[in-house]
Structure formats: C-alpha cells, structure tokens
Amino acid sequence: MEFIFEKIFVPNKHSFISRKLPLASNARIHSHRNFELNFITSGSGRRIVGDNISGFEKGDLVLLGPNLPHCWEALDFEKGNDPFCIVTHFSEDIINSDFFRMPELEQVVDLLKQSSTGLRFKLDNDSHIRQSLERMTQLEGLEYYIEMLKIFNFLLQVNERENLSNPNNSSAVFSKNLDKINKVYEYVFQNIQEGVKLEEAAAVLNMAPSSFCRYFKKKTDLTFMEYVKSVRVGIAAKLLAETDKQITQICFESGYNNLANFNHYFKHIMGKTPSDYRKTFR
C-alpha cells in the first residue's frame, strides 16, 4: 500500500482539499507545489521533512510549504488501529490572491511563508484541531472556507512551534520534473547512513554523473553533494538535540566517517560546532 500525496491536485488556485488517508509502511519521499497541513489521527513512525528526520505519533501537526521534500512512514501497526492522517492541500498561489491581501490576514500569510522549512505545532490538546479537520473532510463551499479560516486562527495561537528543516539549506523553488527530483531525494534518504554515491544517484535518473550534476543544480540551486551534506547535518542536529549519544557516534550515524569533516561541515551549515549546538538544548 503506497500513497504519494502530490497526486492530489488542487482544482483551482483558491481551493482547498481535505482528505483522510491511511499511512503506509513503504511511503516514498516526495514533494509537490501545494501547501500541505498534515495531522496524524492514529499511528506512529518516521517523518522526513527537508533535511530533518524525526519521529511522529498521534496528534502530530505539521504545515509544509510548496516543493519541500517530505514523507510520513508508518512503523507501528496495531490490530484494529491502522495509522491514518488528515491531509489538507491548498494552492501555493493562495498568498497572492486578493482575499489574502487583507490586513486581517497578514499574520496568516506570514505563517504560510514560515512553512517553507516545515512547521511543527506542539499542542497541549489536539481535540479542537482534530474536530475541525475532520469536519472539513465533510464540508463544501463557504462552510469549508470558514472552517479553514478558523484553523488558521487556531494555528496562530499556538505559541510553541518547531522549524523542522534548516532554513540555511532551503533550495530554490523549481516548477517542473518534480517526479525526477523526488526519486533522487528518495535515494539519498534510503542510503544516507550506508553511503551515498554520485554514480548511483545519477543512475536513478539514467544520466551520466556530469549531466546529473548539472541537472540537479539547475533544478534545486544546490549541488548534489551540498544537498547530501545538508541532509547529514540535519540528521546530526536532531540527534544532538534529542539524545545523549557521543558526538563521535552521531558523526558516524549521520553518514560521516571522519570527525574533522563532520565538525567542519556542521559548523559551516549550522553556524556552531556540534558541541556548542548541543549546549543550546541543555
């Protein structure tokens, strides 16, 4: 069972779509042009957003900007309690619409712009947002839009938010051939610890390495190795913040085999050494 959310298209630039979907154990990393609000109603597993890899569980609420690589992979299947999520997609053009230029919606537009790196909302109680999102899967027309505005208002009142992906690693927006880039993203995340090889990545798209490098740079505004390094640093940052593992161990788990290189690239991307970065969470 496999669900790739970019296949759900918004019918016009002012429309929203809400669906309740099952989560898969073999879900693939992908991206699409629309904003996405993802709420986990049941189950747990692994979430990938940009260069961030972390766990998710029931109540997880994330807002994603357009073209941001992501994946929710279900890992916990309980009998009679299949993992599900409610996914709402809306057009990337919405923030440029006349309606959203109203002064009253400035904060909503700012929130949507912040979602370019993925925003996780930390909720003390998810019952309100769950009820609203479940209602939206049944509503149409004006009632749907009114409920969506209520959800935006709710999100603005959540003070505790987490940027999932490192903003310094955001690639430029690209508008075509997402399916090809998605295949590269998937290869990188599947092989990040064992070892990512340029020749293998190029082979995914049936390209010569030199042609692949030019293609990837053109589509993402990053070199392929810059992207790989950002993913590795993203994994390391998560481990530094949330575990007590030794920095040497984190170095190897994030795909580096040399501590000096790890320290160099981590500081270059994050602006701090791994040890200094960890101190900010202690």
Side-chain angles (χ1 to χ4, degrees), residues 221-233:
D221 203 34
L222 289 172
T223 69
F224 177 65
M225 292 315 299
E226 283 174 341
Y227 174 68
V228 172
K229 290 170 186 175
S230 73
V231 172
R232 286 174 173 161
V233 168

Side-chain angles (χ1 to χ4, degrees), residues 36-55:
E36 176 180 315
L37 183 64
N38 189 299
F39 178 75
I40 304 298
T41 60
S42 59
S44 61
R46 181 180 68 160
R47 177 186 60 229
I48 299 172
V49 174
D51 59 13
N52 175 273
I53 302 177
S54 50

Side-chain angles (χ1 to χ4, degrees), residues 59 61 81 91-92 98 119 130 176 179 198 222 230 242 247 250 259 268 271 276:
L61 179 64
N81 188 30
S91 171
E92 70 278 13
D98 291 338
L119 277 179
R130 176 169 183 162
K176 60 183 180 179
D179 55 339
L198 173 60
L222 289 172
S230 73
E242 298 185 355
I247 291 178
I250 291 174
L259 186 58
H268 175 73
D276 287 341

Side-chain angles (χ1 to χ4, degrees), residues 61-63 107-115 117-123 151-164 281:
L61 179 64
V62 172
L63 179 64
Q107 287 183 295
V108 175
V109 172
D110 287 341
L111 187 70
L112 292 173
K113 290 179 178 178
Q114 292 172 36
S115 71
T117 58
L119 277 179
R120 175 176 172 257
F121 297 85
K122 300 181 181 180
L123 309 176
I151 287 175
F152 282 139
N153 185 55
F154 173 84
L155 296 178
L156 288 172
Q157 296 176 50
V158 179
N159 294 321
E160 196 170 357
R161 306 169 193 168
E162 176 188 3
N163 288 96
L164 293 175
F281 294 90

